[in-house]
Amino acid sequence: MPVTTADITLTPEELRRYNRHLILPEVGLEGQKKLKAASVLLVGAGGLGSPLALYLAAAGVGRLGLVDFDVVDETNLQRQVLHGTKDVGRPKLESARDRILDINPHVQVDLYKTRLTSENALDIIKEYDLVADGTDNFPTRYLVNDACVLAGKPNVYASIFRFEGQVSVFGTPDGPCYRCLYPEPPPPGLVPSCAEGGVLGVLPGLVGTIQATEVIKMILGIGTPLIGRLLLVDALHMQFRTLKVRKNPECPICGEHRTIHELIDYEQFCGLPSRNGEAAAQQTAEGEVPEITVHELKARLERGDRPVILDVRKPHEVQIASIGHDLLIPVDELPERLSELESYRDREIVVYCRSGARSARATKLLREAGFRDVKNLKGGILAWSQEIDPSLPQY
């Protein structure tokens, strides 16, 4: 049975803690009780999940659920302020819980150490008043959107990349959903991840705090939420723009003639291999992307059987770490610069990047352009550092 403000009391300690809220006419005692009665599910305890968890806990939201299955890595610390150096190697949920309870011991923290999937999403989401989506991939965004619409829960959405962010509120009865804005996902590999493209460390704090503000406004029923509006944040030039987003009557999940009545396979929908086939190599139109391991390449180099080595990272990445190359062509520029590879058309080419994702795309592109003997360096620079040369910096 849902908790109501009639069931809520604030202790003297809580009255002192929330004093600055209580003196706001828009919040007051009744509003603080609404916050304490509310439950919010945070999908992701990373960059966006950090300011969400910190500020929702500090504001006095009574119950926070966190979904995450990752562990804290050193590369997280530049932006994921829920976690500290001492937490490296710990599950993110554990360090997040400790930090939340340190901020506000009056908050109930529920942990879901799992990947959100079509099998468990509805069961988890139905327990909460609203959802804050802080995920970083398209399959999960569509999953969260569809589950929220089917469960009748508002979805406070945000995303970040490099210096830019987006925030909106989806899934309300009269407002649009994520599918109304993005009916189809982008082709696989077209939009690089933050691990590939980078992200300004403070950007999740800026965007995630806006996202937390929207959550609090929705709980309190005050102000003008970002329903039917998409806020665009450009931190590099410090510009904010708002675009109108209309509810699409033909939307397959929230439209007048719904065609989606249950959760689907979102990896397949986004053109990715299913989780069950995750161990398989990335696919091309002709089959698997051919790969070579770092050990195989090292052995080849040592015996003088050197292939042509193509680095498809950005030039500034080469300054951080490199295993050498014959050609440096960023993957985004490769279609326009294929002529630079013409003299190597009949030779073996090994393509590498930071982790193997961009080089897999480049390998596929080259094979489709008629380069038959092309291999992707499995694991990229990271694998070379972990398995061949530990002195090579990881980034």
Side-chain angles (χ1 to χ4, degrees), residues 321-388:
S322 176
I323 61 172
H325 57 263
D326 298 294
L327 289 161
L328 171 64
I329 305 177
V331 65
D332 295 339
E333 301 175 17
L334 194 55
E336 291 76 36
R337 297 176 60 181
L338 285 175
S339 61
E340 298 177 35
L341 286 159
E342 278 302 321
S343 60
Y344 304 110
R345 184 173 287 275
D346 297 325
R347 293 185 57 187
E348 180 184 9
I349 301 173
V350 170
V351 190
Y352 81 92
C353 64
R354 173 183 172 271
S355 65
R358 283 174 286 176
S359 51
R361 286 159 46 201
T363 300
K364 177 181 177 182
L365 189 152
L366 289 173
R367 285 169 56 83
E368 291 174 346
F371 293 82
R372 308 317 307 166
D373 197 1
V374 188
K375 294 184 178 68
N376 177 35
L377 182 63
K378 185 177 181 180
I381 282 276
L382 293 181
W384 193 277
S385 175
Q386 293 163 0
E387 302 178 34
I388 303 298

Side-chain angles (χ1 to χ4, degrees), residues 211 249 258:
Q211 191 179 12
R258 176 185 295 179

Side-chain angles (χ1 to χ4, degrees), residues 1-8 37-39 63 126-129 153:
M1 187 172 179
V3 178
T4 66
T5 55
D7 305 315
I8 296 297
S39 57
R63 180 186 176 204
K126 71 180 182 183
E127 300 295 324
Y128 294 86
D129 297 324
K153 308 290 184 178

Side-chain angles (χ1 to χ4, degrees), residues 59-346:
V61 174
R63 180 186 176 204
L64 295 177
L66 278 74
V67 182
D68 204 295
F69 59 93
D70 204 359
V71 299
V72 180
D73 184 82
E74 280 185 322
T75 61
N76 302 146
L77 303 181
Q78 163 254 14
R79 66 200 177 281
Q80 299 183 15
V81 294
L82 262 179
H83 319 291
T85 303
K86 70 180 188 308
D87 298 313
V88 171
R90 291 182 73 194
K92 286 184 179 178
L93 290 185
E94 293 182 8
S95 57
R97 175 198 58 208
D98 293 350
R99 184 75 180 102
I100 290 169
L101 294 178
D102 183 50
I103 290 173
N104 191 346
H106 302 284
V107 175
Q108 176 183 331
V109 183
D110 296 332
L111 306 181
Y112 302 90
K113 190 177 181 180
T114 181
R115 187 190 302 273
L116 199 69
T117 67
S118 299
E119 287 71 37
N120 62 26
L122 286 172
D123 287 336
I124 295 174
I125 286 173
K126 71 180 182 183
E127 300 295 324
Y128 294 86
D129 297 324
L130 54 82
V131 176
D133 180 4
T135 58
D136 61 357
N137 64 86
F138 290 101
T140 310
R141 287 173 189 161
Y142 281 98
L143 166 63
V144 171
N145 176 78
D146 291 2
C148 284
V149 173
L150 292 175
K153 308 290 184 178
N155 170 21
V156 182
Y157 155 84
S159 66
I160 52 173
F161 179 65
R162 293 178 59 82
F163 296 93
E164 299 177 349
Q166 300 180 351
V167 189
S168 191
V169 177
F170 295 125
T172 60
D174 298 324
C177 75
Y178 183 76
R179 282 182 183 268
C180 295
L181 177 63
Y182 299 114
E184 298 290 338
L190 181 64
V191 180
S193 67
C194 287
E196 293 176 339
V199 61
L200 184 68
V202 300
L203 182 66
L206 175 62
V207 175
T209 302
I210 296 172
Q211 191 179 12
T213 304
E214 292 300 299
V215 170
I216 291 171
K217 285 160 56 183
M218 291 290 292
I219 294 170
L220 296 176
I222 62 173
T224 306
L226 287 169
I227 298 172
R229 295 183 296 149
L230 179 71
L231 179 67
L232 303 178
V233 179
D234 180 348
L236 190 60
H237 300 100
M238 202 47 71
Q239 295 178 342
F240 294 75
R241 293 190 298 137
T242 304
L243 305 179
K244 288 186 178 180
V245 182
R246 302 187 186 279
K247 189 178 180 74
N248 179 9
E250 303 301 320
C251 178
I253 187 74
C254 76
E256 298 170 0
H257 306 288
R258 176 185 295 179
T259 58
I260 298 176
H261 300 278
E262 60 185 18
L263 300 180
I264 61 175
D265 183 332
Y266 291 89
E267 281 78 22
Q268 184 182 60
F269 172 69
C270 292
L272 302 175
S274 67
R275 296 288 177 191
N276 293 333
E278 209 166 29
Q282 299 192 37
Q283 301 294 303
T284 71
E286 297 180 6
E288 297 180 350
V289 171
E291 291 183 327
I292 183 172
T293 68
V294 291
H295 291 284
E296 289 170 338
L297 179 58
K298 180 175 182 290
R300 293 274 303 276
L301 296 175
E302 287 178 344
R303 66 174 182 258
D305 182 16
R306 179 186 174 88
V308 176
I309 298 178
L310 171 63
D311 186 341
V312 293
R313 298 174 298 156
K314 299 288 188 182
H316 68 270
E317 294 179 79
V318 180
Q319 299 175 14
I320 303 171
S322 176
I323 61 172
H325 57 263
D326 298 294
L327 289 161
L328 171 64
I329 305 177
V331 65
D332 295 339
E333 301 175 17
L334 194 55
E336 291 76 36
R337 297 176 60 181
L338 285 175
S339 61
E340 298 177 35
L341 286 159
E342 278 302 321
S343 60
Y344 304 110
R345 184 173 287 275
D346 297 325

